[in-house]
């Protein structure tokens, strides 16, 4: 039996300027570290066959499966605000697309599979640490219910990659509803290739926004659609304490999925100015800055689409501004609705926003753990005697004062305590990929070839909203000496 991928490729049928045809570079001794079996089944792949040596060779890029049409996609991008007219997949190769069990077209891409014409001076490879980080965090995001690319597999290559030191090399198999980015549009816009922009926009509409095709102003509607999805996505990030870390336009997906897990991390103590990325010295991509940056990225997308908006560019600019103008309200609506749920409110009243902001302010002032404060608030809603939430505050009295007002507000709603706690536990995770846990798992794998900690962490994070008493320690924030202050991009 050989592994069969039911490829139905569409991107590689677009014009040649969209990509470079290139095969993965074979590696010495591929070994499968992890296969995401449920995802394999969802994609119509046989997980047992993927776990054979032949499967590992495919997932490492050593063997190209039948029906694949391997390409590196072209894109440009603003990196930390600086425009780079050509980036592209420098270490990723799209094998092809399959239609999953729900009828959704999904890219299957190898990340770390060798050089491409877009590699510039890079080696086209990935180190094990960042591959495990992407696997853990992307799958955790999925379990949290947040749109994201997925991880199908991780393999070690049996080769070393040279970074500051020699590190084990690895390949991640990434699955996405597409890998089309704001930067993909920028690639053609900077070349003034309006035909290509139109082709790309039509492809995106057919693939991600099919309800818009045949409407009167499909390209305006496309921009509005991406604006809405990005606004909702970033709201979801903030509601779980996620910091992407490198929101460059090339890491900003047109489908509205979280993509490109580099120096990303979840914050422990609530701090709106939190940054983890070692390369983000200015705090451009700090936690609370993410909505503003998403809008900045969308404004770059709008600029690319202007030629499709009509002959009169003044009018086109006005129209684009109006569409972008919807971002703050869409974001704020999603964020505020999410916060109301997090504090257990079923209804909306004047004063709610201020009440919740006062909690966040007290959390920031008192270095309260973001995840545990909300989870413990659910306990407090279920049982007025449960007072673990206050222990998250350096000055517990700050919580008590707030909780009095909160309980008054809850009393205006008819739901029972148990009902409220259930609702809150469904939106306030207890388990997030704590950065110190992710780092510990990476150290065990890289230094000792020990994947048991990785397996266990992935298992716990697959059920982030469930109390898992056997794994209670995974909910704990880091001790002072376990705190991870910086996360490296690790490319
Ligand atoms: P990233 O920071 O991962 O979003 O990557 C930014 C750009 O650098 C993309 O064009 C990547 O393909 C490229 N890149 C990152 N690491 C490497 C590498 N090791 N070899 C070649 N290209 C790379
Ligand atoms: Mg990237």
């Amino acid at each position: 039996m050989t592994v069969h991928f039911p490829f139905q490729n569409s991107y590689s049928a677009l014009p040649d300027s969209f990509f470079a045809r290139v095969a993965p570079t074979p590696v010495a001794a591929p070994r499968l570290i992890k296969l995401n079996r449920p995802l394999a089944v969802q994609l119509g792949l046989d997980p047992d066959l993927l776990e054979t040596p032949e499967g590992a060779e495919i997932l490492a890029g050593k063997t190209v499966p039948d029906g694949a049409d391997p390409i590196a996609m072209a894109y440009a991008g603003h990196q930390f605000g600086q425009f780079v007219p050509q980036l592209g997949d420098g270490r990723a190769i799209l094998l092809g697309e399959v239609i999953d069990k729900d009828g959704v077209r999904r890219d299957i891409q190898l990340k770390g599979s060798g050089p491409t014409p877009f590699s510039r001076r890079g080696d086209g490879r990935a180190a094990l640490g960042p591959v495990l980080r992407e696997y853990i965090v992307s799958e955790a995001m999925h379990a949290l219910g947040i749109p994201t690319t997925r991880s199908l597999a991780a393999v070690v290559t049996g080769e070393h990659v040279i970074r500051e030191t020699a590190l084990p090399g690895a390949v991640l198999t990434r699955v996405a509803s597409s890998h089309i980015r704001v930067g993909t549009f920028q690639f053609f816009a900077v070349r003034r290739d309006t035909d290509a922009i139109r082709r790309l926009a039509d492809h995106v509409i057919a693939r991600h926004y099919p309800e818009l095709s045949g409407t009167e102003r499909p390209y305006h509607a496309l921009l509005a659609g991406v604006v809405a999805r990005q606004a909702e996505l970033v709201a979801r990030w903030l509601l779980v304490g996620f910091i992407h870390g490198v929101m460059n336009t090339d890491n900003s997906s047109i489908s509205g999925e979280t993509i490109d897990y580099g120096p990303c991390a979840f914050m422990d103590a609530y701090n709106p100015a939190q940054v983890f990325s070692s390369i983000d010295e200015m705090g451009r991509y700090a936690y609370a800055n993410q909505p503003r940056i998403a809008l900045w990225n969308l404004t770059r997308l709008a600029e690319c689409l202007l030629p499709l908006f009509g002959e009169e560019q003044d009018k086109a600019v006005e129209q684009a501004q109006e569409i972008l103008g919807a971002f703050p309200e869409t974001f704020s609506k999603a964020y505020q609705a999410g916060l109301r749920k997090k504090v257990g409110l079923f209804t909306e009243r004047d004063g709610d926003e201020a009440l919740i902001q006062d909690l966040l302010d007290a959390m920031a002032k008192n270095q309260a753990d973001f995840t545990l404060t909300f989870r413990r608030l659910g306990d407090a809603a279920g049982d007025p005697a449960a007072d673990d939430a206050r222990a998250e505050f350096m000055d517990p009295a700050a919580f008590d004062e707030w909780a009095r007002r909160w309980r008054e507000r809850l009393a205006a709603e008819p739901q029972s305590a148990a009902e409220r706690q259930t609702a809150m536990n469904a939106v306030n995770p207890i388990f997030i990929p704590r950065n110190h846990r992710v780092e510990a798992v990476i150290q065990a794998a890289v230094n000792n070839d020990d994947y048991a900690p990785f397996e266990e962490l992935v298992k716990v994070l697959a059920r982030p909203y469930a109390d898992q008493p056997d794994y209670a320690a995974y909910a704990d924030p880091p001790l002072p000496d376990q705190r991870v202050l910086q996360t490296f991009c690790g490319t």
Side-chain angles (χ1 to χ4, degrees), residues 75 79 87-89 91 111 174 181 244 246 248 250-252 259-261:
Y75 54 85
Q79 300 187 307
L87 289 167
D89 287 332
R91 55 162 170 170
K111 189 170 173 184
R174 178 159 71 179
R181 306 140 191 273
H244 183 285
V246 227
N248 294 333
D250 52 301
N251 296 338
S252 179
I259 190 169
D260 272 6
Y261 292 86

Side-chain angles (χ1 to χ4, degrees), residues 407-431:
R407 290 201 185 279
E408 258 175 51
R409 171 65 182 88
L410 297 185
E413 297 189 343
Q415 281 78 12
S416 71
E419 208 177 332
R420 172 163 290 112
Q421 183 175 4
T422 303
M424 289 173 77
N425 283 359
V427 296
N428 292 324
I430 179 159
F431 298 110

Side-chain angles (χ1 to χ4, degrees), residues 286-308:
Y287 171 81
N289 226 13
Q290 296 181 114
R292 220 153 51 86
I293 291 293
L295 179 54
W296 193 89
N297 290 348
L298 290 162
T299 306
R300 306 288 80 76
L301 175 65
E303 288 163 359
C304 299
L305 293 175
L306 288 177
L308 307 187

Side-chain angles (χ1 to χ4, degrees), residues 6-311:
F7 285 120
Q8 292 191 32
N9 306 328
S10 66
Y11 203 84
S12 62
L14 290 168
D16 286 345
S17 56
F18 282 57
F19 51 80
R21 281 210 156 74
V22 55
T25 305
V27 294
R31 175 163 61 100
L32 184 65
I33 295 305
K34 179 72 182 168
L35 178 69
N36 187 338
R37 292 181 62 98
L39 180 58
V41 171
Q42 171 72 16
L43 296 173
L45 307 173
D46 183 333
D48 293 331
L49 289 177
L50 284 172
E51 283 180 345
T52 62
E54 189 208 346
E57 286 194 0
I58 291 172
L59 297 169
K62 193 171 180 182
T63 308
V64 176
D66 282 348
D69 195 354
I71 56 170
M73 292 166 66
Y75 54 85
H78 277 89
Q79 300 187 307
F80 291 88
Q82 295 296 316
F83 186 65
V84 184
Q86 179 165 312
L87 289 167
D89 287 332
R91 55 162 170 170
I93 290 176
L94 177 65
L95 288 182
E97 302 148 30
V98 300
I99 310 295
D100 77 7
K101 289 264 152 78
D102 296 325
V104 179
R105 180 178 293 278
R106 309 246 255 169
D107 278 4
I108 299 183
Q109 188 202 60
L110 302 180
K111 189 170 173 184
S113 55
T116 76
F118 301 109
S119 295
R120 293 169 290 163
R121 300 161 80 169
D123 59 2
R125 292 296 180 189
L128 178 57
V131 164
L132 295 181
R133 175 176 288 274
E134 175 154 357
Y135 193 107
I136 294 163
V137 183
S138 67
E139 287 303 302
M141 291 289 268
H142 172 72
L144 287 164
I146 299 173
T148 178
T149 63
R150 302 287 309 275
S151 295
L152 176 65
V155 295
V156 285
T157 58
E159 295 176 1
H160 280 97
V161 297
I162 308 302
R163 297 296 179 259
E164 279 100 54
T165 56
L167 296 167
V171 177
L172 181 87
T173 307
R174 178 159 71 179
V175 174
S177 68
S178 87
H179 285 86
I180 301 166
R181 306 140 191 273
V182 170
T184 318
F185 283 91
Q186 291 181 292
F187 181 85
F188 298 111
V190 69
R191 289 162 180 78
R192 305 199 180 282
D193 188 345
T194 304
D195 285 340
I197 296 171
R198 192 175 291 108
R199 281 297 285 273
L200 182 62
D202 289 342
H203 177 88
V204 165
I205 289 170
R207 192 161 172 179
H208 298 298
Y209 301 85
E211 67 282 3
L212 305 182
S213 71
T215 56
E216 205 183 315
R217 299 199 308 177
Y219 305 120
H220 295 74
L222 171 61
L223 179 61
V226 183
V227 166
R229 285 193 200 177
Q230 282 286 332
E232 279 158 20
L233 179 68
V234 174
R236 302 291 303 268
W237 289 356
L238 296 203
L239 291 166
V240 295
F242 177 74
I243 302 166
H244 183 285
V246 227
M247 289 178 71
N248 294 333
T249 56
D250 52 301
N251 296 338
S252 179
S253 159
I254 296 296
S255 74
E257 288 176 341
T258 312
I259 190 169
D260 272 6
Y261 292 86
C264 61
F266 282 66
M267 64 186 179
D268 298 300
Y270 178 63
N271 168 16
Q274 180 76 57
V275 175
F276 286 103
S277 169
S278 59
I279 51 176
D280 190 4
E281 283 156 19
M282 307 293 284
R284 180 179 169 92
Y285 300 142
Y287 171 81
N289 226 13
Q290 296 181 114
R292 220 153 51 86
I293 291 293
L295 179 54
W296 193 89
N297 290 348
L298 290 162
T299 306
R300 306 288 80 76
L301 175 65
E303 288 163 359
C304 299
L305 293 175
L306 288 177
L308 307 187
F309 280 13
E311 292 293 310

